[in-house]
Structures are given as structure tokens and as C-alpha cells.
Amino acid sequence: MFGRLVYESFRRQKRRKLLAGVAITLGVGVATAMIAVATDIGDKISRELRTYGANLIVTPQEDTLDVQIGGVDFKPPSDGAYLNEADLPKIKGMFWRNNIVGFAPMLPVSVSANDANAKDLTLLGTYFSKRLQFGKEYFTTGVRVTHPWWKVQGAWPDDNSSDVLLGESLAAKLGRKAGDEITIAGQAHRVAGILSTGGAEDNQIVAPLALAQQILGKPGAVRRLYVSALTKPEDALARRNPKSMNPEMFDRWYCSPYVASIAYQLQEAIPHSHAEQIRQIAQNEGTVLSRIKGLMLLVTLAALFASALAVSAAMATAIFERRTEVGLMKALGAGNISVAALFFAEALLLALIGGVLGFAGGALLARQIGRSIFDSQITIEPVLFPVILAIAVIVTFAGSAMAIRRAVKFDPVYALRGEA
């Protein structure tokens, strides 16, 4: 009899049940999409934010008091210690090696060119797109990975050539364009392209690292290293001093992709080095990630709240229309628990149907968001399905509770007479 009552309720109130089901489906669908994206969004957003540039800088341990203003190194390049270029591939041997998007060494050298306006210039040696090897693994890295906003009119130099780039301001000052030649330290070099960065490099010569080392007379020397790494936002553990942690806490910190823990591992990989975050970039990334996830949480809560309100309105109307039925049930001896159980059973069935349909629709929406925004696939974890069903049940019960409470309190005498 109980099952028949539930069935008749759906058969005779198709429109009311359909409206409630649609509300549940839409709310749960949005929640599914937002939760799926939020749980799979960290690396994708972090990769998008890597277009901001490197978020870590590595310098010689003995040279941590380097003076830089506006990206310009005011300490004479011949002073201080250097990193060893041969140690750089060891980065691919650290624990979070797969989170290292790329790295670019820098070596500034003071030079002069064969021009009256170019007596005191800075030649910046770096990797453009250098192919390196660590063990059996080959990988490519350089400023084209770590500094994606650098734009070149012409062509990028080959890392094994002696071609150079001229910053656009310097090129205009010297009257040079791509394809011309410029004499640096008594040797002619072809200008492969004109570089635009919006920074100090616009007034510099940018060349392969080997050329800068040759001019400086220090093979294998690297002044500083910019590293672009995928990290997670800082939390309380990330801000702890690793020296104050117990072994268990240190292992958890070490095995988390915090910018501080990756910097720690860079120091382990590169001997006699000091690594630190470029604080403005790292903190901004964490802020952006937190705000995007917070926005998704707000959208999810708003969708579920709207769904609960819609279910509440639909259920209240449906129960009011069935007040005579409730009165008859009570007159025949049904208790409050039996009446409430009937309506909660209907709500549970609606929740399960809406939850399944909402999960399917939300999964499609999440995949569409992944393709259109991140140009990649959003992974839907199987464990999300029971979570979504639970959310659908909670939302439906929350929306139905007030209406069911009113139904339980119906006086059978007034209800049978059709009075509220």
C-alpha cells in the first residue's frame, strides 16, 4: 500500500513532481560541475598562471645580497660567486621534478659595441630553447618557457649559435633591425631578432649563455636561475619553518608542492645555491587560486540554495493540494510518522532521480568548461557520484522539511472539509 501511495502521488501530480525534479537536477548539475572543476583545477590554473613567468629564483649561496633594482643587477657581474651550469639538469632529479615547467639561467656581462652610442651595454646570456639531458631523460627549457611574454620580431637565436637579440629600445638607438650585424667585444654577431619584454631587457643584448660565458671568460658560469614551478597555495603548514618541524610534519611539508618546499629541494639539487620565491608572483598565484575556488564554492551554494527554495515551493503546493488525502489517512489511523514517511519517501525518490540526472549533466558541463577554458579534459572522480547523491538528498529534504511539517500538523476534520 505504501508503494502504491507513492506511485499514485507521482502519477497524479506529474507537473509538480517534474518542477521539483528539474529544480533538483539543475542545482545538483551546477554543483557537480563546480566540484569536479574545483577538484581538478589546481594544476590547470597553475599552468595558466605560469604565463606570469618564473616564480622562483636561485642564486649562489655566497651571493644572496645581490643588489637589483627594476630587474637590473647593479653588482658588477665579475664579482661574487656563480652557479655551475653543469648542475642545472639535476633539477629533473628532485622529488617535484614533474612540477618544474621550465628554468632559465641568466648571466649578465658588461660589453661594448662598435657604436658611439653603445659603449656600456649589458649582454644577458641565457637559454632560449635549450635541449638538455638528465639520465635517460631529454627535455627542453629556456626563456621561451619561463618568460612567455617575451616577443621577438624576427627569429629566436639557436642556443648553439652566436646570434643575438637586441632589445627594442637599444635597437632603435643603434638603428639596427633583424638580419643586421653588430660587433660585440671585437666579434661580429648577427642580430636574429628584436626583443620586446617591457622590462630592462629592452635596453640589453640577449644572447646564448655560452656566448656570455665566453666573453666573461668563465665557462659554465651562471649568475642566477629563474624557475617556473607548479605550486599549491600557501596554508599554515607552508608558512612553518622546516627546521622547527618534527620528522612526520617535515615529510608532509616536503611532499607537498608548496613554493617553499620546492625552493628547499632546488637548494638540495644545486650545490651551494640559495632558492627563494619571487614573492609577488607566488603570492598572487595563491590569491588567484583561492579566489577562483571561493567563487566556485559560492556558485555551488547559490545553486543548491535556489534548488532547495524551488523544491520547497513545489512540495508546499503539492502537499496543500493533497490535504484531503492527508486528512483521510489520519482519520483512518495513520500517525504523524507514517504521513511524514510517505512524503519523505517521495522526496527521496525525487532526490535520487534528480541526483543521477544532475550528475550526468554536471559531468558534461565540467568537461565543456575544461575544453573551452583550460583546453584540457576535466577528470570526474567516481567517488564524486555518491557525494552528489548525498547532496541531492540533503537539498531535497531541506526544501521539503517545512512543507512536510505542515502536512503532519493537518487537523483531519478541517482537512477533510477542504480547509487549510
Side-chain angles (χ1 to χ4, degrees):
M1 179 60 72
F2 187 84
R4 185 175 179 181
L5 288 174
V6 173
Y7 169 75
E8 287 297 324
S9 169
F10 277 84
R11 188 181 68 82
R12 289 187 288 111
Q13 289 190 316
K14 295 178 182 177
R15 185 179 177 185
R16 301 295 181 196
K17 295 297 189 288
L18 179 62
L19 289 175
V22 168
I24 296 168
T25 300
L26 291 177
V28 170
V30 172
T32 301
M34 294 298 101
I35 293 173
V37 172
T39 54
D40 196 43
I41 202 175
D43 285 350
K44 292 177 175 60
I45 289 184
S46 191
R47 287 187 183 277
E48 292 291 326
L49 293 176
R50 292 281 30 85
T51 56
Y52 289 170
N55 52 354
L56 288 156
I57 184 170
V58 184
T59 55
Q61 192 174 46
E62 300 89 339
D63 201 26
T64 55
L65 298 178
D66 221 356
V67 179
Q68 294 188 28
I69 300 177
V72 181
D73 193 345
F74 283 90
K75 188 170 184 178
S78 58
D79 291 346
Y82 296 92
L83 301 173
N84 188 350
E85 183 185 3
D87 292 327
L88 303 188
K90 295 178 182 178
I91 291 174
K92 284 298 182 178
M94 54 187 276
F95 181 81
W96 284 110
R97 57 187 175 276
N98 292 328
N99 279 46
I100 303 298
V101 177
F103 56 86
M106 300 288 181
L107 179 63
V109 182
S110 295
V111 297
S112 59
N114 59 334
D115 193 292
N117 298 322
K119 295 301 181 184
D120 296 311
L121 299 178
T122 297
L123 182 143
L124 183 65
T126 188
Y127 289 164
F128 296 110
S129 187
K130 182 81 169 179
R131 184 172 173 81
L132 299 174
Q133 179 182 6
F134 179 77
K136 296 181 179 180
E137 179 185 359
Y138 288 89
F139 60 96
T140 301
T141 189
V143 292
R144 298 184 69 174
V145 176
T146 61
H147 296 64
W149 69 90
W150 283 20
K151 303 300 180 185
V152 171
Q153 180 184 356
W156 288 90
D158 187 282
D159 284 285
N160 297 317
S161 71
S162 60
D163 295 345
V164 300
L165 295 175
L166 289 186
E168 61 177 358
S169 298
L170 179 61
K173 181 179 178 181
L174 300 180
R176 298 291 201 282
K177 62 182 184 299
D180 290 348
E181 284 193 351
I182 183 171
T183 301
I184 304 170
Q187 293 185 345
H189 299 273
R190 189 176 73 92
V191 177
I194 306 302
L195 176 65
S196 173
T197 69
E201 296 83 9
D202 287 351
N203 286 295
Q204 297 176 352
I205 303 169
V206 182
L209 180 63
L211 178 59
Q213 293 169 344
Q214 177 187 339
I215 294 173
L216 186 61
K218 293 183 179 292
V222 172
R223 185 70 168 144
R224 57 185 178 269
L225 177 71
Y226 288 96
V227 180
S228 180
L230 301 177
T231 61
K232 64 179 292 186
E234 287 188 345
D235 53 23
L237 178 61
R239 299 184 186 97
R240 291 281 302 269
N241 185 344
K243 295 180 180 179
S244 66
M245 299 178 186
N246 58 43
E248 181 181 353
M249 185 177 295
F250 177 81
D251 287 343
R252 188 156 61 91
W253 176 83
Y254 190 89
C255 296
S256 299
Y258 300 124
V259 65
S261 61
I262 292 179
Y264 184 90
Q265 293 171 33
L266 285 170
Q267 293 177 173
E268 290 181 325
I270 303 175
H272 311 296
S273 66
H274 172 76
E276 61 183 1
Q277 60 176 305
I278 301 176
R279 190 162 295 277
Q280 298 93 328
I281 294 177
Q283 288 185 341
N284 286 340
E285 287 181 5
T287 300
V288 169
L289 280 169
S290 299
R291 288 180 179 176
I292 290 177
K293 289 186 176 181
L295 176 61
M296 289 185 172
L297 176 61
L298 288 177
V299 171
T300 300
L301 293 177
L304 294 177
F305 182 71
S307 178
L309 288 179
V311 170
S312 178
M315 291 295 288
T317 304
I319 290 175
F320 181 78
E321 291 174 351
R322 296 170 62 188
R323 64 190 183 279
T324 303
E325 178 185 337
V326 175
L328 182 60
M329 290 172 62
K330 286 195 168 187
L332 293 174
N336 290 342
I337 295 178
S338 299
V339 175
L342 173 64
F343 289 111
F344 274 120
E346 295 176 10
L348 177 61
L349 188 56
L350 272 175
L352 294 177
I353 294 173
V356 171
L357 295 177
F359 179 81
L364 293 176
L365 178 60
R367 289 192 173 96
Q368 182 61 35
I369 291 174
R371 285 194 297 268
S372 60
I373 297 179
F374 302 108
D375 194 26
S376 63
Q377 188 75 17
I378 296 292
T379 302
I380 309 296
E381 299 294 338
V383 72
L384 186 59
F385 181 64
V387 173
I388 292 301
L389 288 184
I391 290 174
V393 171
I394 293 171
V395 169
T396 307
F397 278 14
S400 306
M402 187 63 69
I404 294 174
R405 184 170 178 271
R406 289 187 58 191
V408 167
K409 291 185 175 183
F410 279 158
D411 188 311
V413 175
Y414 292 106
L416 287 172
R417 292 169 55 184
E419 297 178 7

